[in-house]
Amino acid sequence: MSRDSDDAKVDLTPQNWSDLPVEPVTDVSHETGFQVVNKSVPRRDGVAKVTGRALYTSDITLPRMAHARIVRSPVAHARITSIDVSAALERPGVYAVLTGEDLKALPHTHYGHAVPDHAVLAIDKVIFVGEPVAAVIAASERIAQQAMEDVVVEYDELDAVITVDEALSPEAPVIHGRAFTSGAFRGFEEETVAGQTSNICEEAHVGWGDVEEGFSQATTIVEGEYYYPMAYAYAMEPYVAVGDVSDNSLTVYSSAQHPFMVRHDLAHVFGMSLGQVRVVVPYVGGGYGSKSYTKIEPLAAACSWWAKRPVKIQLGVEESILTTRGDDALVRMRTGVDSDGRIIAREATIYLNSGAYAENSPLVCKKSANRIVGPYAIPHVKVDCYSVYTNTCPASSFRGFGASLVTFGAESQIDELAEKLGEDGLSFRLRNVADEGERFFPKMRGLDANLKGDLRKLAAMLEWDAEPQAGRGKGLAVSASDAGAHPITTAAIKLHGDGSVTVLTGSTELGQGSHTVLAQIAAEEFGIPLESVQVVASDTAIVPFERSTGASRTTTLMGRAVQEACQEAIAQLCEMGSEAFGVPPEEIEQESGGLRHGDRSMAWSELLTSFFGMPDCEIVGRAYLRRAGDLKELPPFWEIGCAGVEIEVDEETGRIELTRLAAVGDVGLAINPAMAEGQDLGAAAMGIGTGLFEELVYDGQQLANANLWDYRVPRFTDIPSDVRLELTQDQNGVGPYGAKGGGEGSLNPMSASIANALYQATGVRVHEAPLTPERVWQALQAKKSSQREAE
Amino acid sequence: MNRLPAFTISQPQSVAEASEMLASLGDSGRLYAGGTELLATMKEGALLYDTLVDVKTVPGLADIRVQDGELWIGAAVTHFSIETSPIVRELLPVLSYVESRVANTRVRATGTLVGNLCFAEPHSDPATMLLCLDARVVAQSTRGERQLTIDEFFVGAYETALEEDEVVTSVVVPLPPANWRMAYKKFQIIERPTLGLGVVLELNDGGDSVATARAAVGCVSESPLRSSAAEAQLAGPLESLLERLDAAGDSLADEADLLDDREGSAEYKRHLIKVFLKRAVQQALQSDGPSR
Ligand SMILES: Cc1cc2nc3c(=O)[nH]c(=O)nc-3n(C[C@H](O)[C@H](O)[C@H](O)COP(=O)(O)OP(=O)(O)OC[C@H]3O[C@@H](n4cnc5c(N)ncnc54)[C@H](O)[C@@H]3O)c2cc1C
């Protein structure tokens, strides 16, 4: 390939960008009669983002704003015996230095939505390498950075526990010697408590039937231990926040995914009412769970409180890795099959290394326990999952949390069972996966997907029956996640006097496309052009409450809230039309862009003008979703993962290369098919990372690779040239037009698919992800030497 | 986020002026080419300089030329320029190939070959191949000019034989005669190569035997290295070359004094050396000239 030929002649003047051809990937709109939804319209923030005009938190500068840099702990577990900030304070341009001691003047020093165990700055004790110990607040980042070196901290080191084994040993020091009650979820079904007297942060126990009985009836049993690594949910934008505390209010600009959850923690720390706290989130440069819940916002706010001026904290990638990572998972599991080849029992014990603070790990723990069961109706199940505090970087959400880390073992084991039965993984799964509507997980919503159909599509894309070339193998895997999208979602729309619309939403635009999809829904409902809809998002002082932007909830829940808010406004307009037309509201019909009675039509603008008597007035439509009606049953939808690969193995080096990637996105209805497929491919690409090379490694107390030189994230060149994506659009979800969540699913089966393909290609099974060349090579060596012994 | 500390850039107009600047700056100054290593390391806070002396402003250092059967590459020449240079592609395609495999587009576009060598980061692709090609480094100061072999040039990880005020002006690579066969192979998992392996085989007149051989391995020790034992083992009839490869690989691995680390166990690295020695030899012999 000649690199010169890459410079294809594309006209890069911005006005031409919106004309770039966007091919509809799957367009069912001609069948369903949709005008705006189910079409691959270009993303609305695309031009602003590629031309650098989109506003991100790092672009925000306030009058008198200072910059803070964070002094971090070099040791994993120690008492802080002294902090001397006097030399730092003497440096010109340094405004203040904040330490844990200073925080004691605040109403609360700790935060945490699950449990408030997280100190804003270490107080008296540090519990992991990288923990913030002091913040230097200065006129510029550079001055703050130089002054950091003048802050002298003395530590009295304590025994540290880095691994789960160490943390659970009877002699282990207890990291949090106190109990915590629930944070934002008090009295709510996601409530959690932690801390207590051991290093167990949270445990979850799921089960039904009688596993011992189940295994006694099983004719084939496979047992194994699987490890899925700690990973960093790399986003291009590292954490950034600007805090601005005044006498009676606090405003924080942040890269947070969930502004309302951050608001809770801020109100708690500063003893303010929810109304006094305003969290504003501009565009976010990728989240993937890493920006779920509160990160550096309390510290930015505390710096502002201490220095009496707005303060910005901008982290780099290295510090972001030390801020949050994903839990790893050690899974011990056995699964049994009866004489009909049906899975009869599954038993698993899961240990998560959750790091120094709970963050979202209690929820990761609960979800892991559920999701390891897989999309199978298994009569006997017992799962015990433990989230364990250690003196390592705190773990929290990682895209589709609780799924990818256990699906690696769960779906590897399914293939191992099939192998033992002399069957292939596809036919084994086709016999065992739950049917549409089947309540395969007790007390949960029945499966709202045709997973067997999805599997057949996947098999077709992988050309499953065709023998792979020598050195190659194919593998597939499936998952179903009980989406953690708790239905508490509210939205408002404003219909303006000229018939244009503003959507007010608490969903954050992380790059996933919410600004485009929500606008498409509003345009569809009002029958107006997409260009007539604007989206205002994620300012807690302006937009209605939304629990979070995660768990693939936005299209389903916020999409539906926007749809209902539009419909509520239209109901108001019918009342206005009744007055204008002089007929009862029931006789009025909606048409594109307005209302009609007989052959008289009134556009939305005319209705508003006739009602208010003046142009430019507006009405508000609103919707409140909660656990009621068809949203009563949890989960609101099952997020399906259905993906597979063909790989080529270099047996001499152990290196795996993907030669084909295939994924089915079972999304009910894709509001924007191109973006839905983009999400599937993005999720699968993340799965290539943890499947092949991505892992955070501790060397003693230190993270050995907390930077992008040593921690490899997937690149375009890691994605095979042969990518096949298909969307299943059965309109069977609770979201607008039958939509369901997507965008996390394709990550979950990836590492198991790769391991299954490796087995097909070479006959070796690797139980530890990522499947690095050396791990694969070692496994191949072990196979060779056992073959030699057998001879 | 770490910020680059403030510094001044000096723009010398000659090598002599650059050398004088370096001499007077001492520890507080450093040469600056593409900055891809230097600025990143300064940003991390691992190196600190008040003044950077920009080699790119010195006229005459941006050329690639042939002189007396040798290829001269100037200190300001980027990886990308070498990769795409018609002269290099024609006369020493193996180097064009090595350069095409360095780092990523951004680094190749700004980073220089000389900067790569002078930083002496142990994971260098070109250093390994240049060692194999018997290349030399030309260093100049106010005291004059000297040439160092690649072997003399590297002292250890991040350490070269350069004096504080010496400026590397060029790298010189003897152009191979027609009966030479050569290849470079790299294996990479993370950001820098895990292993680099170069071979140069001189064939006898009949073309059925290796008269002399050179083999270099990089990335597995502080600096790239050759093994005379391995080279002796590689010499001999082509017919039986495959059988001699395993022993030659072991000799190279012995020379490297392999360690277990995050890049792999010593056992795995030894194995990789053998695999890539074999692949490099096979590839070298497939070509019908001194190409990649
Ligand atoms: C992300 C990344 C990936 C990389 N991957 C690879 C890889 O796969 N393979 C590989 O081989 N390399 C790799 N590299 C290294 C890369 O080749 C070097 O960064 C680059 O060549 C350095 O050249 P520079 O001009 O930027 O040097 P600079 O950063 O400007 O200088 C580097 C050092 O050389 C000194 N120096 C520069 N010029 C002279 C001179 N004329 N005389 C004396 N001293 C001088 C400087 O003082 C400094 O100490 C990678 C680098 C990065 C950043």
Side-chain angles (χ1 to χ4, degrees):
Chain A
M1 187 196 76
S2 138
R3 240 176 228 100
D4 312 359
S5 67
D6 287 356
D7 304 330
K9 295 283 164 272
V10 179
D11 184 355
L12 293 181
T13 42
Q15 62 270 27
N16 293 332
W17 289 17
S18 52
D19 302 334
L20 288 181
V22 177
E23 236 176 90
V25 188
T26 322
D27 195 339
V28 301
S29 53
H30 54 280
E31 294 156 25
T32 44
F34 292 124
Q35 301 301 313
V36 192
V37 302
N38 204 228
K39 291 189 191 303
S40 298
V41 303
R43 28 175 338 128
R44 309 198 84 206
D45 47 357
V47 172
K49 284 181 173 173
V50 297
T51 52
R53 282 185 285 117
L55 185 85
Y56 292 86
T57 303
S58 61
D59 297 318
I60 290 172
T61 300
L62 300 180
R64 300 179 64 247
M65 187 176 85
H67 299 263
R69 296 274 296 127
I70 302 171
V71 177
R72 294 173 183 275
S73 171
V75 290
H77 198 191
R79 302 223 148 271
I80 300 172
T81 51
S82 69
I83 304 182
D84 184 353
V85 303
S86 51
L89 283 172
E90 274 166 28
R91 248 182 210 271
V94 173
Y95 297 133
V97 180
L98 179 71
T99 67
E101 197 56 35
D102 305 325
L103 291 175
K104 291 178 180 168
L106 285 171
H108 291 100
T109 51
H110 287 63
Y111 66 93
H113 67 284
V115 290
D117 62 353
H118 205 148
V120 174
L121 278 173
I123 298 179
D124 304 332
K125 193 170 121 157
V126 289
I127 56 175
F128 70 99
V129 171
E131 177 160 29
V133 172
V136 180
I137 306 155
S140 73
E141 280 187 305
R142 199 170 279 142
I143 296 172
Q145 183 166 319
Q146 286 165 345
M148 275 165 63
E149 282 156 32
D150 302 334
V151 176
V152 183
V153 188
E154 277 170 16
Y155 299 97
D156 187 4
E157 276 201 64
L158 302 168
D159 286 343
V161 290
I162 303 299
T163 64
V164 163
D165 272 353
E166 288 166 12
L168 295 182
S169 104
E171 298 84 47
V174 176
I175 297 174
H176 295 281
R178 55 190 253 226
F180 301 103
T181 54
S182 186
F185 301 142
R186 187 164 306 164
F188 180 62
E189 53 203 306
E190 292 174 8
E191 174 163 357
T192 272
V193 293
Q196 292 112 349
T197 51
S198 80
N199 287 325
I200 293 180
C201 169
E202 175 66 296
E203 45 194 281
H205 305 281
V206 169
W208 52 82
D210 175 346
V211 274
E212 287 314 322
E213 174 61 23
F215 281 109
S216 72
Q217 290 171 24
T219 50
T220 308
I221 297 174
V222 171
E223 193 164 349
E225 190 173 296
Y226 307 84
Y227 180 75
Y228 189 87
M230 293 178 190
Y232 172 56
Y234 170 74
M236 272 208 261
E237 177 198 37
Y239 299 112
V240 50
V242 181
D244 186 9
V245 177
S246 70
D247 289 347
N248 62 356
S249 71
L250 161 62
T251 303
V252 170
Y253 303 85
S254 167
S255 57
Q257 287 180 230
H258 314 333
F260 287 92
M261 301 307 290
V262 173
R263 182 183 67 168
H264 169 94
D265 281 333
L266 291 170
H268 170 76
V269 168
F270 291 90
M272 288 186 178
S273 69
L274 294 176
Q276 283 173 296
V277 179
R278 179 177 180 188
V279 178
V280 184
V281 179
Y283 283 127
V284 171
Y288 315 110
S290 71
K291 292 170 183 159
S292 292
Y293 303 101
T294 306
K295 304 293 172 194
I296 58 170
E297 298 85 357
L299 183 54
C303 286
S304 169
W305 162 75
W306 192 242
K308 301 195 167 46
R309 49 174 72 233
V311 176
K312 180 188 276 186
I313 302 181
Q314 169 75 67
L315 303 189
V317 172
E318 292 81 356
E319 289 180 283
S320 294
I321 295 176
L322 293 173
T323 303
T324 333
R325 61 171 171 87
D327 292 82
D328 66 354
L330 177 70
V331 172
R332 297 201 181 98
M333 177 168 51
R334 59 177 176 149
T335 309
V337 173
D338 68 13
S339 51
D340 296 330
R342 293 189 181 276
I343 306 172
I344 186 169
R346 172 165 269 190
E347 181 176 21
T349 309
I350 309 165
Y351 293 96
L352 311 177
N353 184 335
S354 296
Y357 292 114
E359 292 255 343
N360 206 35
S361 286
L363 270 76
V364 176
C365 177
K366 291 177 183 177
K367 289 299 180 191
S368 300
N370 291 347
R371 293 172 178 181
I372 200 166
V373 177
Y376 308 100
I378 308 177
H380 307 284
V381 168
K382 182 173 186 295
V383 182
D384 302 293
C385 183
Y386 302 90
S387 153
V388 181
Y389 281 129
T390 61
N391 293 115
T392 64
C393 159
S396 194
S397 314
F398 184 104
R399 195 173 193 160
F401 66 76
S404 60
L405 74 177
V406 294
T407 303
F408 172 59
E411 283 292 293
S412 292
Q413 196 157 78
I414 293 293
D415 258 42
E416 289 172 76
L417 272 168
E419 163 72 16
K420 219 167 168 180
L421 294 172
E423 192 180 357
D424 97 338
L426 174 66
S427 70
F428 182 87
R429 285 184 179 82
L430 283 173
R431 181 170 63 252
N432 277 289
V433 294
D435 285 312
E436 184 157 7
E438 186 172 357
R439 229 172 253 281
F440 68 101
F441 199 111
K443 301 201 189 101
M444 291 212 198
R445 182 183 295 272
L447 185 63
D448 53 352
N450 176 3
L451 191 46
K452 288 184 179 156
D454 293 339
L455 264 168
R456 288 195 187 94
K457 285 182 191 166
L458 179 66
M461 288 190 281
L462 290 168
E463 295 169 280
W464 189 255
D465 294 330
E467 191 67 30
Q469 291 173 29
R472 292 194 179 184
K474 297 176 201 172
L476 53 77
V478 291
S479 65
S481 299
D482 52 319
H486 203 99
I488 302 173
T489 297
T490 68
I493 63 96
K494 293 215 279 180
L495 175 68
H496 304 292
D498 59 358
S500 61
V501 168
T502 298
V503 173
L504 300 175
T505 175
S507 297
T508 302
E509 176 58 90
L510 310 166
Q512 85 282 36
S514 56
H515 276 25
T516 305
V517 162
L518 298 176
Q520 282 181 271
I521 292 167
E524 182 76 34
E525 290 301 313
F526 281 105
I528 57 178
L530 184 60
E531 298 70 46
S532 301
V533 183
Q534 297 297 318
V535 177
V536 169
S538 301
D539 179 336
T540 62
I542 295 174
V543 303
F545 182 89
E546 164 62 325
R547 162 137 170 19
S548 51
T549 304
S552 305
R553 67 187 284 132
T554 298
T555 299
T556 308
L557 296 179
M558 184 55 72
R560 177 154 156 182
V562 168
Q563 181 186 36
E564 289 186 7
C566 294
Q567 288 166 355
E568 203 252 0
I570 291 167
Q572 297 175 42
L573 289 156
C574 284
E575 294 291 336
M576 296 173 187
S578 161
E579 191 182 291
F581 290 123
V583 300
E586 313 80 77
E587 290 180 19
I588 298 174
E589 282 176 71
Q590 185 182 343
E591 62 177 13
S592 191
L595 298 179
R596 180 166 61 90
H597 180 257
D599 53 10
R600 283 174 67 204
S601 285
M602 286 183 86
W604 303 127
S605 58
E606 293 172 304
L607 285 158
L608 290 181
T609 310
S610 105
F611 181 80
F612 288 109
M614 187 186 108
D616 288 3
C617 298
E618 50 194 41
I619 61 166
V620 176
R622 52 98 180 149
Y624 305 149
L625 301 188
R626 62 183 177 126
R627 261 196 82 185
D630 62 345
L631 293 174
K632 186 156 181 60
E633 252 186 331
L634 291 180
F637 55 89
W638 287 94
E639 180 155 1
I640 298 303
C642 185
V645 294
E646 184 195 66
I647 63 168
E648 186 163 296
V649 186
D650 178 346
E651 292 210 23
E652 283 187 320
T653 62
R655 180 189 210 118
I656 293 175
E657 198 172 319
L658 265 61
T659 47
R660 184 181 294 180
L661 167 66
V664 180
D666 190 332
V667 294
L669 186 100
I671 305 299
N672 189 310
M675 292 203 307
E677 295 205 329
Q679 286 289 309
D680 280 338
L681 180 55
M686 265 178 104
I688 295 174
T690 39
L692 293 183
F693 42 74
E694 233 182 298
E695 61 179 324
L696 285 171
V697 178
Y698 265 90
D699 180 3
Q701 303 189 346
Q702 307 281 340
L703 259 180
N705 57 344
N707 61 68
L708 291 179
W709 304 82
D710 301 315
Y711 182 83
R712 171 96 147 73
V713 290
R715 307 169 180 168
F716 281 113
T717 48
D718 293 311
I719 295 172
S721 53
D722 186 351
V723 172
R724 304 179 184 203
L725 302 170
E726 224 176 291
L727 294 173
T728 297
Q729 306 195 67
D730 293 343
Q731 294 190 260
N732 49 4
V734 295
Y737 325 106
K740 299 181 286 192
E744 298 179 336
S746 298
L747 161 64
N748 304 330
M750 280 301 292
S751 51
S753 292
I754 292 170
N756 293 343
L758 176 69
Y759 184 83
Q760 198 194 69
T762 63
V764 303
R765 172 71 51 198
V766 173
H767 279 189
E768 183 172 356
L771 280 72
T772 57
E774 184 165 5
R775 279 188 192 127
V776 172
W777 179 75
Q778 295 285 8
L780 287 162
Q781 290 301 101
K783 182 184 149 205
K784 274 188 206 142
S785 68
S786 71
Q787 274 171 348
R788 252 181 263 124
E789 269 164 39
E791 275 159 18
Chain B
M1 179 164 44
N2 285 350
R3 292 292 181 203
L4 256 178
F7 58 85
T8 310
I9 293 187
S10 297
Q11 304 191 317
Q13 295 305 312
S14 67
V15 174
E17 193 187 346
S19 172
E20 277 161 23
M21 285 175 174
L22 291 174
S24 72
L25 288 165
D27 281 348
S28 68
R30 188 86 181 166
L31 275 179
Y32 160 56
T36 55
E37 296 284 22
L38 193 62
L39 298 182
T41 319
M42 286 171 67
K43 190 171 160 190
E44 278 168 23
L47 291 176
L48 212 66
Y49 301 107
D50 299 331
T51 306
L52 298 184
V53 179
D54 192 348
V55 292
K56 300 188 295 297
T57 58
V58 177
L61 296 184
D63 298 338
I64 299 177
R65 64 197 157 86
V66 177
Q67 192 182 310
D68 303 331
E70 296 187 312
L71 185 69
W72 285 66
I73 299 171
V77 179
T78 62
H79 297 293
F80 180 77
S81 307
I82 302 170
E83 173 196 348
T84 54
S85 151
I87 300 177
V88 180
R89 280 191 173 161
E90 190 191 326
L91 299 176
L92 197 58
V94 71
L95 186 62
S96 165
Y97 172 75
V98 170
E99 290 290 28
S100 75
R101 309 286 294 158
V102 165
N104 53 50
T105 311
R106 270 167 64 193
V107 171
R108 283 196 299 274
T110 27
T112 61
L113 169 62
V114 168
N116 175 303
L117 301 178
C118 291
F119 199 61
E121 207 280 342
H123 302 81
S124 167
D125 290 302
T128 307
M129 196 62 217
L130 291 175
L131 177 66
C132 227
L133 289 166
D134 271 350
R136 305 182 311 278
V137 172
V138 183
Q140 194 182 322
S141 69
T142 43
R143 294 179 308 286
E145 190 181 278
R146 60 174 181 146
Q147 297 200 357
L148 298 100
T149 64
I150 294 288
D151 204 33
E152 291 162 348
F153 183 73
F154 290 118
V155 173
Y158 308 100
E159 226 185 314
T160 67
L162 289 178
E163 304 285 338
E164 192 175 71
D165 62 346
E166 272 183 315
V167 178
V168 173
T169 53
S170 321
V171 175
V172 187
V173 196
L175 288 170
N179 60 333
W180 286 24
R181 301 289 179 270
M182 51 194 63
Y184 179 76
K185 287 280 177 190
K186 81 185 271 191
F187 185 63
Q188 186 166 335
I189 302 162
I190 311 178
E191 190 59 47
R192 308 247 179 176
T194 303
L195 182 83
L197 210 138
V199 294
V200 172
L201 307 174
E202 182 198 355
L203 299 186
N204 67 353
D205 290 345
D208 58 359
S209 182
V210 176
T212 63
R214 299 182 206 148
V217 60
C219 309
V220 290
S221 42
E222 293 200 343
S223 317
L225 48 87
R226 283 164 59 174
S227 146
S228 48
E231 295 180 357
Q233 282 156 323
L234 288 173
L238 286 185
E239 216 175 49
S240 56
L241 180 55
L242 262 176
E243 293 146 37
R244 302 193 303 274
L245 281 176
D246 205 49
D250 269 324
S251 301
L252 261 179
D254 290 344
E255 191 74 37
D257 201 10
L258 303 170
L259 295 176
D260 291 336
D261 57 23
R262 270 211 2 97
E263 289 168 56
S265 63
E267 180 199 13
Y268 182 56
K269 289 180 201 165
R270 175 173 293 266
H271 169 76
L272 287 179
I273 289 173
K274 293 184 190 178
V275 169
F276 285 96
L277 178 64
K278 181 186 73 189
R279 290 183 184 182
V281 165
Q282 281 171 340
Q283 181 165 339
L285 292 174
Q286 268 165 19
S287 59
D288 49 10
S291 76
R292 68 193 197 205

